[in-house]
Amino acid sequence: MKKHQVVVRRNGSNRTASASAVRTVRYAECQKNHAANIGGYALDGCTEFIAAGEEGTVGALTCAACGCHRNFHRREVVTEVVSDSSVIE
């Protein structure tokens, strides 16, 4: 989760525009092929990653619902931009 701040100032103006972008990462359905070793294709039906442990532990990378590593789950990044304009005197 990174937060960036951009400040823009136009020449001859007392206005400053500031925008912050906040990124939120969410892990969706599991995409691990459980039948790859026999040449098939079968998913387990897990619809969302649920961490098995606290942040910073090994369990945080394992899904409590299906037991797969977090990398097997589809990653969704949601970017939210918040803009704030103000007048500098």
Side-chain angles (χ1 to χ4, degrees):
M1 312 228 194
K2 296 181 180 180
K3 186 174 180 179
H4 299 282
Q5 186 171 22
V6 179
V7 177
V8 179
R9 183 164 183 166
R10 296 187 178 112
N11 292 334
S13 175
N14 288 339
R15 292 190 164 266
T16 301
S18 176
S20 298
V22 178
R23 291 183 181 172
T24 306
V25 178
R26 177 181 170 275
Y27 293 92
E29 70 271 358
C30 184
Q31 298 178 337
K32 182 177 181 181
N33 183 3
H34 292 275
N37 59 350
I38 60 171
Y41 185 74
L43 301 177
D44 60 6
C46 180
T47 58
E48 184 177 0
F49 176 79
I50 302 168
E54 294 295 320
E55 187 67 33
T57 64
V58 177
L61 300 176
T62 304
C63 181
C66 66
C68 294
H69 191 274
R70 185 174 72 183
N71 289 344
F72 286 109
H73 290 261
R74 185 171 55 87
R75 183 177 183 195
E76 295 178 340
V77 179
V78 178
T79 304
E80 191 176 325
V81 178
V82 180
S83 180
D84 180 33
S85 296
S86 60
V87 177
I88 300 175
E89 294 181 20

